[in-house]
Amino acid sequence: MDAIHHDRARDDYQRMDDERARKGPPEGFPRLPDIPGRRYVDPEFLTLEKDRMWKRAWLYAGHTDQVATPGRWFLTRNTGAPVIVLRDLKGEVRAFYNTCQHRGAPLVTGDAGEARGFVCGYHGWSYTLEGKLTAVRDKRDFVELDFACRSLVPVRCEMLGSLIFINEDPDAQPLIDHIGPMARELDQFQLDRLRLVDSRSYEVGCNVKVLLDAFLEVYHIKSIHQSTVDRFLDHRGMIVTLWPNGHSRMCTPNSRPDWKDPGTIGMPRIDTVGDLAANNNVSYHIYPNFVMPPSDSGIPILQFWPTGPRSCRVVSSWIAPDHDPEQPHPLWETRIRNWERILYEDLQYAPQIQDSLESGGFRGIPLNYQERRIYHWHEELDRRIGLNQVPPEARVEQVLGDWVTR
Ligand code: FES
Ligand SMILES: [Fe+2]
């Protein structure tokens, strides 16, 4: 792994130098057509987006620490539908709709807990943690009730290390294949042994894409992160890798090559992290809404969830090596507070941007070369909806195909 990583890193540093030196976008880079504003406000488009993209996407549901032992479960509603994620008695992580197969009552009503099985609160049907229906009250009154056909409905559930992803589409491509080349790169972070340190969420008054866009570029750091991130990052050396299926990576060099975050000195490290991620600001994006800028001493993970046409939720968590929840490292408190300050900087204009998108003052979004991950994201959305299903006035043209690393 090391040799490959080092070669790659040399190549990446060369690319950073090229980015700093260039006088314009590289030869042949297309003009990016404006992103139509109606993609953020048009109810017809938002319904297509929800049904054809969100309901069929691999979405982060939670961390294995939330289901640390057999019988532990938590409920997630981020996809709209209520889904129970649990660890069964054999240790396997599974997901089911929180939907009793009798008349649809919920099996669990809290946010998290521990159970040996589920008994529906409405008429008492009982299920195992594997979802099998085992007991029905007054069974004699049902005619030909086939227990085998009344198991809980499973939701696809697959792991990226300790990160649990779910997908409501039973025919979805397996998560790791779907992530493709990024999955190999993520090996260096040993995601399977990272513990959950913290998780909190923020409600924001804008369409979810207003915020997603903000986390796909560093063009904004000189303005809104002037007194934070901009002090140590050189956005003009930023390099981008676009991957298939809408995923991507950006890597922004530190302004000074020897810079180390003073707020992490003495914290446990993931010793397999390569030079690039340890000494620069890499940020991975798993389509559609998972953002991860890892460091070797801890990784923030962000998800962006649509809660309405003009509202969304941001969930921000931290995972880290050798974390003991009973005795967290003393630097975590400040580190999380500093991170939150940066987040607030990112969120500050979101509701006003939404107002603009809904006003007559907005014409469309002209993106530059540095912002091409945003365009890549939108192209993928149209591919998932189906190119000829997208209303022509809301469509983005497919122009970045040649710039995707396959
Ligand atoms: S709805 Fe669950 S037992 Fe009736
Ligand atoms: Fe930002």
Side-chain angles (χ1 to χ4, degrees), residues 320-334:
D322 303 325
H323 172 69
D324 177 358
E326 302 299 322
Q327 265 189 312
H329 193 284
L331 286 176
W332 273 117
E333 205 184 312
T334 320

Side-chain angles (χ1 to χ4, degrees), residues 99-107 119-127:
T99 302
C100 177
Q101 297 301 293
H102 177 220
R103 278 169 49 202
L107 300 160
V119 180
C120 178
Y122 202 178
H123 314 90
W125 284 26
S126 305
Y127 302 87

Side-chain angles (χ1 to χ4, degrees), residues 214-215 217 220-221 224-225 342 346:
F215 285 81
E217 48 93 355
H220 67 263
I221 72 172
I224 70 172
H225 300 307
I342 298 168
D346 281 309

Side-chain angles (χ1 to χ4, degrees), residues 31-51:
R31 187 186 74 84
L32 300 175
D34 282 17
I35 304 279
R38 60 197 315 147
R39 293 169 73 86
Y40 299 74
V41 295
D42 175 7
E44 186 191 346
F45 184 81
L46 297 177
T47 302
L48 282 168
E49 177 185 309
K50 183 171 174 199
D51 293 347

Side-chain angles (χ1 to χ4, degrees), residues 39-95:
R39 293 169 73 86
Y40 299 74
V41 295
D42 175 7
E44 186 191 346
F45 184 81
L46 297 177
T47 302
L48 282 168
E49 177 185 309
K50 183 171 174 199
D51 293 347
R52 308 192 66 114
M53 190 277 278
W54 292 95
K55 286 207 153 295
R56 299 177 182 184
W58 280 110
L59 299 167
Y60 175 72
H63 188 276
T64 47
D65 280 358
Q66 295 170 259
V67 288
T69 51
R72 304 278 326 171
W73 59 265
F74 65 87
L75 185 69
T76 170
R77 318 180 118 270
N78 282 324
T79 53
V83 174
I84 309 174
V85 177
L86 60 82
R87 190 179 292 277
D88 71 19
L89 297 179
K90 293 200 187 85
E92 197 181 324
V93 179
R94 296 172 180 265

Side-chain angles (χ1 to χ4, degrees), residues 139-289:
K139 190 170 144 256
R140 62 180 185 174
D141 290 329
F142 285 94
V143 178
E144 291 174 8
L145 179 73
D146 182 356
F147 276 40
C149 302
R150 307 287 171 177
S151 297
L152 296 179
V153 177
V155 175
R156 287 280 297 281
C157 177
E158 293 175 19
M159 315 293 297
L160 180 64
S162 53
L163 309 177
I164 306 167
F165 282 73
I166 59 174
N167 192 325
E168 287 192 67
D169 177 4
D171 302 320
Q173 185 183 25
L175 174 66
I176 299 300
D177 299 347
H178 176 70
I179 297 175
M182 187 195 313
R184 281 193 299 281
E185 234 182 87
L186 295 181
D187 282 347
Q188 63 183 310
F189 301 104
Q190 300 191 56
L191 291 174
D192 51 339
R193 52 168 283 245
L194 302 188
R195 307 287 311 274
L196 184 63
V197 178
D198 185 75
S199 188
R200 52 189 78 188
S201 65
Y202 309 83
E203 309 294 325
V204 188
C206 66
N207 183 265
V208 69
K209 296 188 291 301
V210 171
L211 283 188
L212 276 168
D213 295 350
F215 285 81
L216 292 172
E217 48 93 355
V218 284
Y219 185 42
H220 67 263
I221 72 172
K222 278 233 160 296
S223 306
I224 70 172
H225 300 307
Q226 202 173 24
S227 57
T228 54
V229 184
D230 184 52
R231 292 194 351 249
F232 50 86
L233 291 187
D234 170 18
H235 79 284
R236 288 171 61 89
M238 188 269 286
I239 56 172
V240 161
T241 308
L242 305 179
W243 280 305
N245 300 326
H247 313 305
S248 63
R249 183 193 86 173
M250 66 178 162
C251 179
T252 314
N254 290 336
S255 315
R256 293 202 323 268
D258 57 342
W259 187 84
K260 283 270 173 233
D261 183 350
T264 68
I265 289 168
M267 293 182 106
R269 304 274 152 181
I270 312 162
D271 53 16
T272 45
V273 173
D275 166 61
L276 190 76
N279 297 311
N280 299 276
N281 189 277
V282 178
S283 182
Y284 292 96
H285 178 254
I286 298 178
Y287 197 91
N289 72 334

